[in-house]
Amino acid sequence: MNNKNLIVIAGLVLLSAVVACSGTINVYKYQYDTTLDEVYLKDGVDFGRYQSVMIDGISVWRPSAHVLSPEDAVTARANLAKAQDLFFSSVGNALSDRYAVVKAAGKNVLRVQVEFIDLRALAPGEDLPADLDRLRVRTKPGHITMIARLLDSRSGEVLARAADLGKREAFGTYTLIDWEAIASDFDYWALVFRGWLDQMHSG
């Protein structure tokens, strides 16, 4: 998948997240959470029935003004593949001793879709891209922001949404990545997800 397609997909997912969190508050209710910036859950969902998790490949949004050279675009695609493997590994390691991580939709399978706003290439103090003005999620130069959706894997119904600004600051480029910082954020979000799943099953 090329970078243009990634940007388009990211824009669609981001827009759907904003609409769901602002326009249908009667369906998706905000849940106070000290571990993430934003959490919205659909009313009446029994998350405890989901025993397995299916993880989609991640997508990454970057400012449309940041045009990559053909050579850098190749490196960026390779880095995206590495980030996808790293995220899958982080979540899999956090869940696998209690929850099955599967590759196909099925009964009682929770589908995870995650996208990252990548602002690591912005300079400290640089203005945020105008593309982000419409969003109600925290973003900051030198950081990534996670936007996640949880769906019923069979019906495709969106059950929950969450957003969180990454904790680790790492200024760089789209070809030069601080993998330690990225892994730290991935591990944090994976552990938060595991803790939330445990809480849903303990009820």
Side-chain angles (χ1 to χ4, degrees):
M1 183 178 293
N2 60 37
N3 289 330
K4 182 178 180 181
N5 287 337
L6 287 176
I7 293 172
V8 170
I9 291 172
L12 292 174
V13 174
L14 290 174
L15 181 58
S16 68
V18 174
V19 170
C21 292
S22 59
T24 57
I25 194 66
N26 59 320
V27 177
Y28 297 92
K29 290 190 174 180
Y30 172 75
Q31 303 291 312
Y32 176 73
D33 192 306
T34 60
T35 59
L36 300 176
D37 294 335
E38 302 285 345
V39 177
Y40 289 84
L41 302 178
K42 186 168 185 178
D43 273 352
V45 176
D46 176 17
F47 288 98
R49 70 185 180 90
Y50 291 97
Q51 302 296 327
S52 303
V53 175
M54 172 185 173
I55 307 168
D56 283 4
I58 65 172
S59 60
V60 177
W61 183 95
R62 61 179 176 83
S64 57
H66 290 196
V67 179
L68 301 181
S69 68
E71 295 79 10
D72 285 349
V74 171
T75 303
R77 284 194 293 271
N79 285 337
L80 175 60
K82 182 174 180 178
Q84 288 175 336
D85 290 343
L86 183 61
F87 183 77
F88 188 88
S89 177
S90 293
V91 177
N93 289 339
L95 300 182
S96 59
D97 66 324
R98 182 173 181 182
Y99 308 98
V101 178
V102 300
K103 295 184 178 181
K107 184 179 180 180
N108 297 332
V109 175
L110 191 64
R111 185 173 187 175
V112 181
Q113 293 181 337
V114 174
E115 167 176 22
F116 296 99
I117 302 172
D118 184 359
L119 301 183
R120 294 173 300 102
L122 269 62
E126 184 175 346
D127 290 338
L128 295 175
D131 314 48
L132 299 178
D133 286 346
R134 70 187 186 281
L135 299 182
R136 296 182 178 182
V137 298
R138 291 176 63 207
T139 56
K140 185 178 180 181
H143 292 257
I144 59 176
T145 294
M146 177 215 47
I147 295 178
R149 306 195 310 170
L150 301 181
L151 306 88
D152 181 276
S153 68
R154 275 189 167 176
S155 68
E157 179 184 12
V158 179
L159 307 177
R161 289 177 169 86
D164 192 58
L165 177 68
K167 306 299 184 287
R168 287 287 295 268
E169 187 174 78
F171 291 97
T173 68
Y174 298 113
T175 57
L176 181 62
I177 295 180
D178 183 344
W179 288 108
E180 182 180 351
I182 298 296
S184 176
D185 281 336
F186 284 4
D187 287 344
Y188 173 77
W189 288 319
L191 290 174
V192 167
F193 182 43
R194 167 59 190 266
W196 177 81
L197 274 179
D198 287 349
Q199 182 182 358
M200 294 299 99
H201 283 80
S202 66

